[in-house]
Amino acid sequence: MPRSTTARIDLNALRNNYCTARERAGSAKAMAVVKADGYGHGIAQVASALADVAPKYAVACIEEAAAIRAAGLAQPVVLLQGVHAAGDLADCAQQNFEPVLHGEHQLNWLEQGGHAPDFWLKVNTGMNRLGFRPNELPAVMARLEKIGVGGRLHGFVSHFACADDAESTMTAAQTATFETATAPWPQLLKSVGNSAAHFISGQPLFDWSRPGIMLYGGSPVVGKTGPELGLEPVMTLEAPLITTRVVSAGESVGYGGAWVAQRDTRMGMVAIGYGDGYPRHAGTDTPAAIDGRRIRLIGRVSMDMLAVDLSNAPEAREGDPVELWGRTVGVDEVASCAGTISYELLTGVTSRVPRTSF
Ligand SMILES: *Cc1c(COP(=O)(O)O)cnc(C)c1O
């Protein structure tokens, strides 16, 4: 019997969000970013559902790319973190994985020979996590020619540090740095845009955009929710009400006695907690919903359950499904109550929660 605490995945909403990304990308193509198990939605299901619309996928590492092949999908897969060992390059070549090479040590691996895969070069335009600095590019390009793998290079990749903040000037500065750095090689492809970049008016997305969170309906923009940006929620996280009771004024609920009833309150316990990936930092007043009606959490989230105030849902009974996030309560809202972002909540749903798609 499947557990009634579930993450229901709306694959139609996922496809619609991909189409929104593609429209916003204009003349750029959109590689679907499905790393971290499809942002927690299940990489095989997500990649399969996008197979007829997405010409390319992107993941962090080679193990994730292998999961796409295991699902029977043949599209090229970009490895955003490149490869972690010399031997992976041959696997990439064989499997049509396109690593993003970002450091000198990876060029050494290329030089060691073997069959080179198609690949990309990461340019560090200010994020300062990975990549070659613009002034290093000419030497890197010369070295690739010398190794004899220049023809395998698809193009250049960079990543924005502040694209979620419409007020930041950093995205424009990074874009300018990127354009100048790559100008000597106009025949090569360019890719810079994460989800947030799709919502910055006038932002060039060049040849390939890389939408991630927006495919799953999460907001990439500070201060806006996914639905406000025209995105559809994909995951509904749901768990049953396992008991209801009335607590009297003055009684507390849960660990630490953190919430104390001001008046007699009908409350319920829901079968989900931080052991399922529901954020422990979501405190009293974090929204949830029963049957489309908003209710609120009370007290501390436990490992396997959490408490809700049922004042707003007087007819709620044991067995009723409670929506923790989904169409009534946005994942962005819960994230902000927990002091985090939807990315962390979606990728944090643990393997104890079965994913069912429809
Ligand atoms: C994860 C990632 C993306 C997608 O970012 P979103 O904000 O989820 O759209 C794009 N590019 C790189 C390099 C990434 O690591």
Side-chain angles (χ1 to χ4, degrees), residues 33 35 39 80 122 129 159 194-195 210-213 343:
V33 182
K35 62 191 179 185
Y39 286 52
L80 297 169
K122 181 105 175 197
R129 295 193 308 191
H159 196 46
N194 53 2
S195 294
R210 305 191 302 268
I213 192 69
Y343 298 69

Side-chain angles (χ1 to χ4, degrees), residues 146-168:
K146 196 161 150 248
I147 301 172
V149 295
R152 289 281 176 186
L153 176 61
H154 274 308
F156 302 102
V157 170
S158 196
H159 196 46
F160 294 134
C162 304
D164 58 333
D165 175 5
E167 304 296 305
S168 174

Side-chain angles (χ1 to χ4, degrees), residues 288-356:
I290 290 188
D291 200 17
R293 192 168 317 169
R294 289 167 75 98
I295 55 173
R296 62 176 188 133
L297 267 60
I298 52 178
R300 281 193 201 155
V301 173
S302 308
M303 186 185 293
D304 313 310
M305 50 190 137
L306 54 79
V308 290
D309 177 350
L310 293 175
S311 307
N312 229 10
E315 72 296 347
R317 291 288 169 269
E318 284 82 359
D320 286 356
V322 176
E323 176 191 307
L324 286 314
W325 61 68
R327 291 206 171 250
T328 306
V329 172
V331 65
D332 301 301
E333 278 183 84
V334 179
S336 104
C337 289
T340 185
I341 52 178
S342 61
Y343 298 69
E344 187 179 13
L345 297 197
L346 295 172
T347 58
V349 176
T350 67
S351 59
R352 186 161 79 167
V353 180
R355 274 68 165 169
T356 53

